[in-house]
Coordinates of all heavy atoms in Angstrom, one line a residue:
M1 N -36.8 13.3 -107.7 CA -36.0 14.4 -107.5 C -34.6 14.0 -107.1 O -34.5 13.3 -106.0 CB -36.7 15.3 -106.5 CG -36.1 16.7 -106.4 SD -36.9 17.6 -105.1 CE -38.6 17.8 -105.6
N2 N -33.6 14.4 -107.8 CA -32.2 14.1 -107.3 C -31.6 15.2 -106.5 O -32.2 16.3 -106.4 CB -31.4 13.7 -108.5 CG -31.2 14.8 -109.5 OD1 -31.3 15.9 -109.1 ND2 -31.0 14.5 -110.8
L3 N -30.4 15.0 -106.1 CA -29.8 15.9 -105.2 C -29.6 17.3 -105.9 O -29.7 18.3 -105.3 CB -28.4 15.4 -104.7 CG -27.7 16.0 -103.5 CD1 -28.7 15.9 -102.3 CD2 -26.5 15.3 -103.2
N4 N -29.2 17.2 -107.1 CA -28.9 18.4 -107.9 C -30.1 19.3 -108.0 O -30.0 20.5 -107.8 CB -28.5 18.1 -109.4 CG -27.0 17.8 -109.4 OD1 -26.3 18.1 -108.5 ND2 -26.6 17.1 -110.4
T5 N -31.3 18.7 -108.1 CA -32.5 19.4 -108.2 C -32.7 20.2 -106.8 O -33.1 21.4 -106.8 CB -33.8 18.5 -108.5 OG1 -33.3 17.6 -109.5 CG2 -34.9 19.3 -108.9
L6 N -32.5 19.4 -105.7 CA -32.7 20.0 -104.4 C -31.7 21.2 -104.2 O -32.1 22.2 -103.7 CB -32.4 18.9 -103.4 CG -33.6 18.1 -102.9 CD1 -33.0 17.0 -101.9 CD2 -34.6 18.9 -102.2
E7 N -30.5 21.0 -104.6 CA -29.5 22.0 -104.4 C -30.0 23.3 -105.3 O -29.8 24.4 -104.8 CB -28.2 21.6 -104.9 CG -27.3 21.1 -103.8 CD -26.0 20.5 -104.3 OE1 -25.5 20.9 -105.4 OE2 -25.5 19.6 -103.5
T8 N -30.4 23.1 -106.4 CA -30.9 24.2 -107.3 C -32.0 24.9 -106.6 O -32.1 26.1 -106.5 CB -31.3 23.7 -108.7 OG1 -30.3 22.8 -109.2 CG2 -31.5 24.8 -109.6
M9 N -32.9 24.1 -106.1 CA -34.1 24.7 -105.3 C -33.6 25.6 -104.2 O -34.1 26.7 -104.0 CB -35.0 23.6 -104.9 CG -36.0 23.1 -106.0 SD -37.0 21.8 -105.4 CE -37.9 22.6 -104.1
E10 N -32.7 25.1 -103.4 CA -32.2 25.8 -102.3 C -31.6 27.1 -102.7 O -31.8 28.2 -102.1 CB -31.2 25.0 -101.5 CG -31.8 24.5 -100.2 CD -30.8 23.4 -99.6 OE1 -29.7 23.7 -99.5 OE2 -31.3 22.3 -99.3
L11 N -30.8 27.1 -103.8 CA -30.1 28.3 -104.3 C -31.1 29.3 -104.7 O -31.0 30.5 -104.4 CB -29.2 27.9 -105.4 CG -27.8 27.3 -105.0 CD1 -27.1 26.9 -106.2 CD2 -27.0 28.3 -104.2
T12 N -32.2 28.8 -105.4 CA -33.2 29.7 -105.9 C -33.9 30.4 -104.8 O -34.1 31.5 -104.7 CB -34.2 28.9 -106.8 OG1 -33.4 28.1 -107.7 CG2 -35.0 29.9 -107.6
T13 N -34.2 29.5 -103.8 CA -34.9 30.0 -102.6 C -34.1 31.1 -101.8 O -34.6 32.2 -101.5 CB -35.2 28.9 -101.6 OG1 -35.7 27.8 -102.2 CG2 -36.2 29.4 -100.5
M14 N -32.8 30.8 -101.7 CA -31.9 31.8 -101.1 C -31.9 33.1 -101.7 O -32.0 34.1 -101.2 CB -30.5 31.2 -101.1 CG -30.0 30.6 -99.8 SD -28.4 29.9 -99.9 CE -27.4 31.3 -100.3
R15 N -31.9 32.9 -103.1 CA -31.7 34.2 -103.9 C -33.0 35.0 -103.8 O -32.9 36.2 -103.6 CB -31.5 33.9 -105.3 CG -30.8 35.0 -106.0 CD -30.3 34.6 -107.4 NE -29.4 33.5 -107.5 CZ -29.4 32.5 -108.3 NH1 -30.3 32.4 -109.3 NH2 -28.5 31.5 -108.3
T16 N -34.2 34.4 -103.8 CA -35.4 35.2 -103.7 C -35.7 35.7 -102.4 O -36.4 36.6 -102.1 CB -36.6 34.4 -104.2 OG1 -36.5 33.1 -103.6 CG2 -36.6 34.2 -105.7
D17 N -35.0 35.1 -101.3 CA -35.2 35.5 -99.9 C -34.3 36.7 -99.6 O -34.4 37.2 -98.5 CB -34.9 34.3 -99.0 CG -36.2 33.6 -98.7 OD1 -37.2 34.0 -99.1 OD2 -36.1 32.5 -98.0
M18 N -33.4 37.0 -100.4 CA -32.4 38.1 -100.1 C -33.1 39.4 -100.1 O -33.8 39.8 -101.0 CB -31.3 38.0 -101.1 CG -30.6 36.7 -101.1 SD -29.1 36.7 -100.3 CE -28.0 36.9 -101.6
K19 N -32.8 40.1 -99.0 CA -33.4 41.4 -98.8 C -32.3 42.5 -98.7 O -31.3 42.1 -98.2 CB -34.3 41.5 -97.6 CG -35.6 40.8 -97.7 CD -36.3 41.2 -96.4 CE -37.5 40.4 -96.0 NZ -38.0 40.8 -94.7
C20 N -32.7 43.6 -99.2 CA -31.7 44.7 -99.0 C -31.7 45.1 -97.6 O -32.8 45.2 -96.9 CB -32.2 45.9 -99.9 SG -31.4 47.5 -99.5
A21 N -30.5 45.3 -97.0 CA -30.3 45.6 -95.6 C -30.8 47.0 -95.3 O -31.1 47.3 -94.1 CB -28.9 45.5 -95.2
V22 N -31.1 47.8 -96.3 CA -31.5 49.2 -96.0 C -33.1 49.3 -96.2 O -33.8 49.8 -95.3 CB -30.8 50.3 -96.8 CG1 -31.4 51.6 -96.7 CG2 -29.3 50.3 -96.4
C23 N -33.6 49.0 -97.4 CA -35.0 49.2 -97.6 C -35.8 48.0 -97.3 O -37.0 48.1 -97.4 CB -35.2 49.7 -99.1 SG -34.7 48.5 -100.3
D24 N -35.1 46.8 -97.0 CA -35.9 45.7 -96.5 C -36.7 45.1 -97.6 O -37.8 44.4 -97.3 CB -36.7 46.0 -95.3 CG -36.9 44.7 -94.5 OD1 -35.9 43.9 -94.4 OD2 -38.0 44.6 -93.8
K25 N -36.4 45.3 -98.9 CA -37.2 44.8 -100.0 C -36.5 43.6 -100.6 O -35.2 43.6 -100.7 CB -37.5 45.8 -101.0 CG -38.4 46.9 -100.6 CD -38.9 47.7 -101.7 CE -39.8 48.8 -101.2 NZ -39.5 50.2 -101.4
H26 N -37.2 42.6 -101.1 CA -36.6 41.5 -101.9 C -36.1 42.1 -103.2 O -36.9 42.8 -103.9 CB -37.7 40.4 -102.1 CG -38.1 39.7 -100.8 ND1 -37.3 38.6 -100.4 CD2 -39.0 40.0 -100.0 CE1 -37.9 38.2 -99.3 NE2 -38.9 39.0 -99.0
K27 N -34.9 41.8 -103.5 CA -34.4 42.2 -104.8 C -33.6 41.1 -105.5 O -33.0 40.3 -104.8 CB -33.4 43.4 -104.5 CG -34.0 44.6 -103.9 CD -34.7 45.4 -105.0 CE -35.4 46.7 -104.3 NZ -35.9 47.6 -105.2
A28 N -33.7 41.1 -106.8 CA -32.9 40.1 -107.6 C -31.5 40.3 -107.5 O -30.6 39.4 -107.5 CB -33.4 40.1 -109.0
Q29 N -31.1 41.6 -107.4 CA -29.6 41.9 -107.4 C -29.3 42.7 -106.2 O -29.8 43.8 -105.9 CB -29.3 42.7 -108.7 CG -27.8 42.7 -108.9 CD -27.4 43.7 -110.0 OE1 -28.2 44.4 -110.6 NE2 -26.1 43.9 -110.1
L30 N -28.3 42.2 -105.4 CA -27.8 42.9 -104.3 C -26.3 43.0 -104.3 O -25.7 42.1 -104.8 CB -28.2 42.1 -103.0 CG -29.7 42.0 -102.7 CD1 -29.9 41.0 -101.6 CD2 -30.3 43.3 -102.3
K31 N -25.8 44.1 -103.8 CA -24.4 44.3 -103.8 C -23.9 44.4 -102.4 O -24.5 45.0 -101.5 CB -24.1 45.6 -104.5 CG -24.4 45.7 -106.0 CD -24.1 47.1 -106.5 CE -24.0 47.1 -108.0 NZ -23.0 48.1 -108.4
P32 N -22.7 43.7 -102.2 CA -22.1 43.8 -100.8 C -21.4 45.1 -100.5 O -20.8 45.6 -101.4 CB -21.2 42.6 -100.8 CG -20.8 42.4 -102.2 CD -21.8 42.9 -103.1
R33 N -21.6 45.5 -99.3 CA -20.8 46.7 -98.9 C -20.6 46.6 -97.4 O -21.4 46.2 -96.6 CB -21.6 48.0 -99.2 CG -21.0 49.2 -98.4 CD -21.6 50.5 -98.7 NE -21.1 51.0 -99.9 CZ -21.9 51.8 -100.7 NH1 -23.1 52.1 -100.3 NH2 -21.6 52.2 -101.9
K34 N -19.4 47.0 -97.0 CA -19.1 47.0 -95.5 C -19.6 48.4 -95.1 O -19.2 49.4 -95.6 CB -17.5 46.9 -95.4 CG -17.1 46.5 -94.0 CD -15.6 46.3 -94.0 CE -15.1 46.1 -92.6 NZ -15.2 44.8 -92.2
S35 N -20.4 48.3 -94.0 CA -21.0 49.5 -93.5 C -19.9 50.4 -92.9 O -19.1 50.0 -92.2 CB -22.0 49.2 -92.4 OG -22.3 50.3 -91.6
K36 N -20.0 51.7 -93.3 CA -19.1 52.7 -92.8 C -19.3 53.0 -91.4 O -18.5 53.4 -90.6 CB -19.2 54.0 -93.6 CG -18.6 53.9 -94.9 CD -18.0 55.4 -95.3 CE -17.2 55.3 -96.6 NZ -18.1 55.1 -97.8
L37 N -20.6 52.8 -90.9 CA -20.9 53.1 -89.6 C -20.6 52.0 -88.6 O -20.0 52.2 -87.5 CB -22.4 53.4 -89.5 CG -22.9 54.7 -90.3 CD1 -24.3 54.9 -90.2 CD2 -22.1 55.9 -89.9
T38 N -21.1 50.7 -88.9 CA -20.9 49.7 -88.0 C -19.9 48.7 -88.4 O -19.5 47.8 -87.5 CB -22.3 48.9 -87.8 OG1 -22.6 48.3 -89.1 CG2 -23.4 49.8 -87.4
G39 N -19.3 48.7 -89.6 CA -18.4 47.7 -90.0 C -19.0 46.4 -90.4 O -18.3 45.5 -90.9
A40 N -20.3 46.3 -90.3 CA -21.0 45.1 -90.7 C -21.0 44.9 -92.2 O -21.0 45.9 -92.9 CB -22.4 45.0 -90.1
N41 N -21.0 43.6 -92.7 CA -21.2 43.4 -94.2 C -22.6 43.5 -94.5 O -23.4 42.6 -94.0 CB -20.5 42.1 -94.5 CG -19.0 42.2 -94.4 OD1 -18.4 43.1 -94.9 ND2 -18.4 41.3 -93.7
L42 N -23.0 44.3 -95.4 CA -24.4 44.5 -95.8 C -24.6 44.1 -97.2 O -23.7 44.2 -98.0 CB -24.8 46.0 -95.6 CG -24.6 46.7 -94.3 CD1 -24.9 48.1 -94.4 CD2 -25.4 46.0 -93.2
L43 N -25.8 43.6 -97.5 CA -26.2 43.4 -98.9 C -27.2 44.5 -99.2 O -28.2 44.6 -98.6 CB -26.8 42.0 -99.1 CG -25.7 40.9 -99.1 CD1 -26.4 39.6 -99.1 CD2 -24.8 41.0 -100.3
L44 N -26.9 45.3 -100.2 CA -27.7 46.4 -100.6 C -28.3 46.3 -102.0 O -27.6 45.7 -102.9 CB -27.0 47.7 -100.5 CG -26.2 48.0 -99.2 CD1 -25.5 49.4 -99.3 CD2 -27.2 48.1 -98.0
C45 N -29.5 46.8 -102.2 CA -30.0 46.8 -103.6 C -29.2 47.9 -104.4 O -28.6 48.7 -103.8 CB -31.5 47.0 -103.6 SG -32.0 48.7 -103.2
V46 N -29.3 47.8 -105.6 CA -28.6 48.8 -106.4 C -28.8 50.2 -106.1 O -27.9 51.1 -105.9 CB -28.8 48.6 -108.0 CG1 -28.0 49.5 -108.8 CG2 -28.4 47.1 -108.3
S47 N -30.2 50.5 -105.8 CA -30.6 51.9 -105.5 C -30.0 52.4 -104.2 O -29.4 53.4 -104.2 CB -32.1 51.9 -105.5 OG -32.5 53.0 -104.8
C48 N -30.1 51.6 -103.2 CA -29.5 52.0 -101.9 C -28.0 52.0 -101.9 O -27.3 52.9 -101.3 CB -29.9 51.0 -100.8 SG -31.7 51.1 -100.4
F49 N -27.4 51.1 -102.7 CA -26.0 51.1 -102.8 C -25.5 52.4 -103.4 O -24.5 53.0 -103.0 CB -25.6 49.9 -103.7 CG -24.1 49.6 -103.8 CD1 -23.4 48.8 -103.0 CD2 -23.4 50.3 -104.8 CE1 -22.1 48.6 -103.0 CE2 -22.0 50.1 -104.9 CZ -21.3 49.3 -104.1
E50 N -26.1 52.8 -104.5 CA -25.7 54.0 -105.3 C -25.9 55.2 -104.5 O -25.1 56.2 -104.6 CB -26.3 54.0 -106.7 CG -25.6 53.1 -107.6 CD -26.3 53.0 -108.9 OE1 -27.4 53.6 -109.1 OE2 -25.9 52.2 -109.8
K51 N -26.9 55.2 -103.7 CA -27.2 56.4 -102.9 C -26.4 56.4 -101.6 O -26.5 57.3 -100.7 CB -28.7 56.5 -102.5 CG -29.5 56.9 -103.8 CD -30.9 57.2 -103.5 CE -31.8 55.9 -103.6 NZ -33.2 56.1 -103.5
K52 N -25.6 55.4 -101.4 CA -24.7 55.3 -100.1 C -25.6 55.3 -98.9 O -25.2 56.0 -97.9 CB -23.6 56.3 -100.1 CG -22.7 56.3 -101.3 CD -21.5 57.1 -101.1 CE -20.3 56.9 -102.0 NZ -20.5 57.5 -103.3
F53 N -26.7 54.6 -98.9 CA -27.5 54.6 -97.7 C -27.0 53.7 -96.7 O -26.3 52.8 -97.0 CB -28.9 54.1 -98.2 CG -29.8 55.2 -98.7 CD1 -29.3 56.4 -99.1 CD2 -31.2 54.9 -98.9 CE1 -30.2 57.4 -99.6 CE2 -32.0 55.9 -99.4 CZ -31.5 57.2 -99.8
E54 N -27.4 53.9 -95.4 CA -27.1 53.0 -94.3 C -28.4 52.6 -93.7 O -29.4 53.3 -93.9 CB -26.2 53.7 -93.3 CG -24.8 53.9 -93.7 CD -23.9 52.7 -93.6 OE1 -24.3 51.8 -92.8 OE2 -22.7 52.7 -94.0
P55 N -28.5 51.4 -93.1 CA -29.7 51.1 -92.4 C -30.1 52.1 -91.4 O -29.3 52.6 -90.6 CB -29.4 49.7 -91.8 CG -28.2 49.2 -92.4 CD -27.4 50.4 -92.9
R56 N -31.4 52.4 -91.3 CA -31.9 53.4 -90.4 C -31.5 53.1 -88.9 O -31.1 53.9 -88.2 CB -33.5 53.5 -90.5 CG -34.1 54.7 -89.8 CD -35.6 54.6 -90.1 NE -36.3 55.8 -89.5 CZ -36.6 55.9 -88.2 NH1 -36.4 54.8 -87.4 NH2 -37.2 56.9 -87.7
W57 N -31.8 51.8 -88.5 CA -31.4 51.4 -87.2 C -29.9 51.6 -86.9 O -29.6 51.9 -85.7 CB -31.9 49.9 -86.9 CG -31.1 48.9 -87.8 CD1 -31.5 48.4 -89.0 CD2 -29.8 48.3 -87.5 NE1 -30.5 47.5 -89.5 CE2 -29.5 47.5 -88.6 CE3 -28.9 48.5 -86.4 CZ2 -28.3 46.8 -88.6 CZ3 -27.7 47.8 -86.5 CH2 -27.4 46.9 -87.6
A58 N -29.1 51.3 -87.9 CA -27.6 51.5 -87.6 C -27.3 53.0 -87.3 O -26.5 53.3 -86.5 CB -26.9 51.0 -88.9
I59 N -27.9 53.9 -88.0 CA -27.7 55.3 -87.8 C -28.1 55.7 -86.4 O -27.4 56.4 -85.7 CB -28.5 56.1 -88.9 CG1 -27.9 55.9 -90.3 CG2 -28.5 57.6 -88.5 CD1 -28.8 56.5 -91.4
I60 N -29.2 55.2 -86.0 CA -29.7 55.4 -84.6 C -28.8 54.8 -83.5 O -28.4 55.5 -82.5 CB -31.1 54.9 -84.4 CG1 -32.1 55.7 -85.3 CG2 -31.6 55.0 -82.9 CD1 -33.5 55.1 -85.4
V61 N -28.3 53.6 -83.8 CA -27.4 53.0 -82.8 C -26.1 53.8 -82.7 O -25.6 54.0 -81.5 CB -27.1 51.5 -83.3 CG1 -25.9 50.9 -82.5 CG2 -28.3 50.6 -83.1
V62 N -25.5 54.1 -83.8 CA -24.3 54.9 -83.8 C -24.5 56.3 -83.1 O -23.7 56.7 -82.3 CB -23.7 55.0 -85.2 CG1 -22.5 56.0 -85.2 CG2 -23.3 53.7 -85.7
A63 N -25.6 57.0 -83.5 CA -25.9 58.3 -82.9 C -26.0 58.2 -81.4 O -25.5 59.2 -80.7 CB -27.2 58.8 -83.4
R64 N -26.5 57.1 -80.8 CA -26.7 57.0 -79.4 C -25.4 56.5 -78.7 O -25.4 56.4 -77.4 CB -27.8 56.1 -79.1 CG -29.1 56.5 -79.7 CD -30.2 55.5 -79.4 NE -30.5 55.4 -78.0 CZ -31.7 55.6 -77.4 NH1 -32.7 55.9 -78.2 NH2 -31.8 55.5 -76.1
S65 N -24.4 56.0 -79.4 CA -23.2 55.4 -78.9 C -22.0 56.3 -79.1 O -21.5 56.3 -80.2 CB -23.0 54.0 -79.4 OG -21.7 53.6 -79.1
P66 N -21.6 57.0 -78.0 CA -20.4 57.8 -78.1 C -19.1 56.9 -78.6 O -18.3 57.4 -79.3 CB -20.1 58.3 -76.7 CG -21.4 58.2 -76.0 CD -22.1 57.0 -76.7
K67 N -19.1 55.7 -78.1 CA -18.0 54.8 -78.5 C -18.0 54.5 -80.0 O -16.9 54.3 -80.6 CB -18.3 53.4 -77.8 CG -17.2 53.2 -76.7 CD -17.2 51.8 -76.3 CE -18.2 51.6 -75.1 NZ -18.4 50.2 -74.7
M68 N -19.1 54.5 -80.7 CA -19.2 54.2 -82.1 C -19.1 55.5 -82.9 O -19.2 55.5 -84.2 CB -20.5 53.5 -82.4 CG -20.5 52.1 -81.8 SD -22.1 51.3 -82.2 CE -21.7 50.6 -83.8
G69 N -18.9 56.7 -82.3 CA -18.8 57.9 -83.0 C -19.8 59.0 -82.6 O -19.6 60.1 -82.9
G70 N -20.9 58.5 -82.2 CA -22.0 59.4 -81.7 C -22.7 60.1 -82.9 O -22.4 59.8 -84.0
L71 N -23.3 61.2 -82.5 CA -24.1 62.0 -83.4 C -23.2 62.5 -84.5 O -23.7 62.6 -85.7 CB -24.8 63.1 -82.7 CG -26.0 63.8 -83.3 CD1 -27.0 62.7 -83.7 CD2 -26.7 64.7 -82.3
V72 N -22.0 62.9 -84.2 CA -21.1 63.5 -85.2 C -20.9 62.6 -86.4 O -20.9 63.0 -87.6 CB -19.8 63.9 -84.5 CG1 -18.7 64.4 -85.6 CG2 -19.9 64.9 -83.5
A73 N -20.8 61.3 -86.1 CA -20.5 60.3 -87.1 C -21.7 60.1 -88.1 O -21.5 59.8 -89.2 CB -20.2 59.0 -86.5
V74 N -22.9 60.4 -87.6 CA -24.1 60.1 -88.5 C -24.8 61.5 -88.9 O -25.8 61.4 -89.6 CB -25.0 59.2 -87.8 CG1 -24.4 57.8 -87.6 CG2 -25.5 59.8 -86.4
R75 N -24.2 62.5 -88.5 CA -24.9 63.8 -88.8 C -25.3 64.0 -90.3 O -26.5 64.4 -90.6 CB -24.0 65.0 -88.4 CG -24.6 66.3 -88.2 CD -23.7 67.3 -87.5 NE -22.4 67.3 -88.0 CZ -21.3 67.9 -87.5 NH1 -21.4 68.5 -86.3 NH2 -20.2 67.9 -88.1
D76 N -24.3 63.7 -91.1 CA -24.6 63.8 -92.6 C -25.7 62.8 -93.1 O -26.5 63.2 -94.0 CB -23.3 63.5 -93.3 CG -23.4 63.6 -94.8 OD1 -23.8 64.8 -95.2 OD2 -23.1 62.7 -95.5
Y77 N -25.7 61.7 -92.5 CA -26.8 60.7 -92.9 C -28.2 61.2 -92.5 O -29.1 61.1 -93.2 CB -26.5 59.3 -92.2 CG -25.4 58.6 -92.8 CD1 -24.0 58.8 -92.3 CD2 -25.5 57.8 -93.8 CE1 -23.0 58.2 -92.8 CE2 -24.4 57.1 -94.4 CZ -23.2 57.3 -93.9 OH -22.1 56.7 -94.4
I78 N -28.2 61.8 -91.3 CA -29.5 62.3 -90.8 C -29.9 63.5 -91.5 O -31.1 63.7 -92.0 CB -29.4 62.6 -89.2 CG1 -29.2 61.3 -88.5 CG2 -30.7 63.2 -88.8 CD1 -28.9 61.4 -87.0
R79 N -29.0 64.4 -91.7 CA -29.3 65.7 -92.4 C -29.8 65.4 -93.8 O -30.7 66.1 -94.4 CB -28.1 66.6 -92.4 CG -28.3 68.0 -92.8 CD -27.1 68.8 -92.7 NE -26.8 69.2 -91.4 CZ -25.6 69.6 -90.9 NH1 -24.6 69.5 -91.8 NH2 -25.3 69.9 -89.7
N80 N -29.1 64.5 -94.5 CA -29.4 64.3 -96.0 C -30.4 63.1 -96.2 O -30.6 62.6 -97.3 CB -28.1 64.1 -96.7 CG -27.3 65.3 -96.7 OD1 -27.7 66.4 -96.9 ND2 -26.0 65.1 -96.4
H81 N -30.9 62.6 -95.1 CA -31.9 61.5 -95.1 C -31.3 60.3 -95.9 O -31.9 59.8 -96.9 CB -33.2 61.9 -95.8 CG -34.3 61.1 -95.3 ND1 -35.4 61.5 -94.6 CD2 -34.6 59.7 -95.5 CE1 -36.3 60.5 -94.3 NE2 -35.8 59.4 -94.9
R82 N -30.1 59.9 -95.5 CA -29.4 58.8 -96.3 C -29.8 57.4 -95.6 O -28.9 56.7 -95.2 CB -27.9 59.0 -96.3 CG -27.5 60.0 -97.4 CD -26.1 60.4 -97.3 NE -25.2 59.3 -97.4 CZ -23.9 59.4 -97.2 NH1 -23.4 60.5 -96.8 NH2 -23.1 58.4 -97.4
Y83 N -31.1 57.2 -95.6 CA -31.7 56.0 -95.1 C -33.1 55.8 -95.7 O -33.5 56.8 -96.2 CB -31.6 55.9 -93.6 CG -32.3 57.1 -92.9 CD1 -33.7 57.2 -92.6 CD2 -31.6 58.3 -92.6 CE1 -34.3 58.3 -92.1 CE2 -32.1 59.4 -92.1 CZ -33.4 59.3 -91.8 OH -34.1 60.5 -91.3
V84 N -33.7 54.7 -95.4 CA -35.0 54.5 -95.8 C -36.0 54.5 -94.6 O -35.6 53.9 -93.6 CB -35.2 53.2 -96.7 CG1 -36.6 52.9 -96.9 CG2 -34.4 53.3 -98.0
G85 N -37.1 55.2 -94.8 CA -38.0 55.2 -93.7 C -38.3 56.6 -93.2 O -37.9 57.6 -93.7
E86 N -39.1 56.6 -92.1 CA -39.5 57.9 -91.5 C -38.3 58.7 -91.1 O -37.2 58.1 -90.7 CB -40.3 57.7 -90.2 CG -41.8 57.4 -90.4 CD -42.4 57.1 -89.1 OE1 -42.2 57.8 -88.1 OE2 -43.1 56.0 -89.1
K87 N -38.4 60.0 -91.0 CA -37.4 60.8 -90.5 C -37.0 60.4 -89.1 O -37.9 60.2 -88.3 CB -38.0 62.3 -90.5 CG -37.0 63.4 -90.5 CD -37.7 64.7 -90.8 CE -37.0 65.9 -90.7 NZ -35.7 66.1 -90.1
I88 N -35.7 60.4 -88.9 CA -35.3 60.1 -87.5 C -35.6 61.2 -86.6 O -35.1 62.4 -86.8 CB -33.8 59.7 -87.5 CG1 -33.5 58.4 -88.4 CG2 -33.2 59.5 -86.1 CD1 -32.1 58.0 -88.5
R89 N -36.2 60.9 -85.5 CA -36.6 62.0 -84.6 C -35.6 62.2 -83.5 O -34.9 61.3 -83.2 CB -38.0 61.6 -83.9 CG -39.1 61.5 -84.9 CD -40.4 61.3 -84.1 NE -40.3 60.2 -83.1 CZ -40.6 58.9 -83.4 NH1 -41.1 58.6 -84.5 NH2 -40.4 58.0 -82.5
A90 N -35.6 63.3 -83.0 CA -34.6 63.7 -81.9 C -34.7 62.7 -80.7 O -33.7 62.2 -80.2 CB -34.8 65.1 -81.5
E91 N -36.0 62.3 -80.4 CA -36.2 61.4 -79.3 C -35.5 60.1 -79.5 O -35.2 59.4 -78.6 CB -37.7 61.1 -79.1 CG -38.5 62.4 -78.8 CD -39.1 62.9 -80.2 OE1 -40.2 62.4 -80.5 OE2 -38.4 63.7 -80.9
E92 N -35.3 59.8 -80.8 CA -34.8 58.4 -81.0 C -33.2 58.4 -80.9 O -32.6 57.4 -80.6 CB -35.0 58.0 -82.5 CG -36.5 57.7 -82.7 CD -36.8 57.3 -84.2 OE1 -37.0 58.2 -85.0 OE2 -36.8 56.1 -84.5
I93 N -32.6 59.6 -81.0 CA -31.2 59.6 -81.0 C -30.6 60.3 -79.7 O -29.4 60.2 -79.5 CB -30.6 60.3 -82.2 CG1 -31.2 61.6 -82.6 CG2 -30.8 59.3 -83.4 CD1 -30.6 62.3 -83.7
L94 N -31.4 61.1 -79.0 CA -30.9 61.7 -77.8 C -30.8 60.8 -76.6 O -31.8 60.0 -76.4 CB -31.7 63.0 -77.5 CG -31.6 64.1 -78.6 CD1 -32.5 65.2 -78.2 CD2 -30.2 64.5 -78.8
P95 N -29.8 60.8 -75.8 CA -29.8 59.9 -74.7 C -30.9 60.4 -73.7 O -31.3 61.5 -73.6 CB -28.4 60.2 -74.0 CG -27.8 61.5 -74.7 CD -28.7 61.7 -75.9
R96 N -31.5 59.3 -73.0 CA -32.5 59.6 -72.1 C -32.0 60.0 -70.8 O -31.0 59.6 -70.4 CB -33.4 58.3 -71.9 CG -34.3 58.2 -73.1 CD -35.1 56.9 -73.1 NE -35.5 56.7 -74.5 CZ -35.9 55.5 -74.9 NH1 -35.9 54.4 -74.1 NH2 -36.3 55.3 -76.2
Ligands
ZN1 ZN1 -32.5 48.9 -100.9

């Protein structure tokens, strides 16, 4: 096995290990997007990308943080279920 083979293997592994930041599934094709909510660079699968989804956890973090925009910033995401997973509950986003 030469170095080239090793490099190829690593690249292949990397590619198959890539998960969508929203639905957490392994996908062959991911598209980069800067999160509108957190500013983080995300890799999204085509489906989540086209639906303009954000990670569920990111919506919760922003909703709970007045500094990051609070509930107003994510209202549309919550109302239109623009994330993957269970419906976000009030207990998850309201301050304790
Ligand atoms: Zn996805």
Side-chain angles (χ1 to χ4, degrees):
M1 196 185 291
N2 61 29
L3 197 62
N4 276 341
T5 318
L6 272 174
E7 264 173 27
T8 311
M9 277 176 64
E10 254 168 50
L11 282 175
T12 315
T13 313
M14 262 175 59
R15 205 174 296 142
T16 49
D17 268 355
M18 301 258 263
K19 282 191 195 174
C20 170
V22 171
C23 64
D24 207 35
K25 288 192 181 120
H26 291 272
K27 297 280 177 170
Q29 197 195 350
L30 295 170
K31 294 175 162 217
R33 165 176 288 148
K34 201 175 169 80
S35 166
K36 281 214 176 70
L37 298 180
T38 62
N41 289 308
L42 306 173
L43 284 173
L44 306 179
C45 70
V46 178
S47 165
C48 293
F49 185 92
E50 281 174 0
K51 289 189 268 191
K52 297 194 168 78
F53 277 13
E54 288 278 346
R56 190 179 184 278
W57 64 266
I59 294 171
I60 294 171
V61 166
V62 172
R64 297 176 69 122
S65 164
K67 249 192 271 173
M68 294 177 84
L71 201 50
V72 175
V74 293
R75 198 165 49 192
D76 183 58
Y77 288 89
I78 295 173
R79 191 178 285 156
N80 298 312
H81 204 117
R82 281 169 61 192
Y83 51 90
V84 169
E86 272 174 54
K87 201 169 172 351
I88 294 175
R89 296 186 312 267
E91 305 93 88
E92 292 179 275
I93 51 175
L94 295 177
R96 280 173 202 160

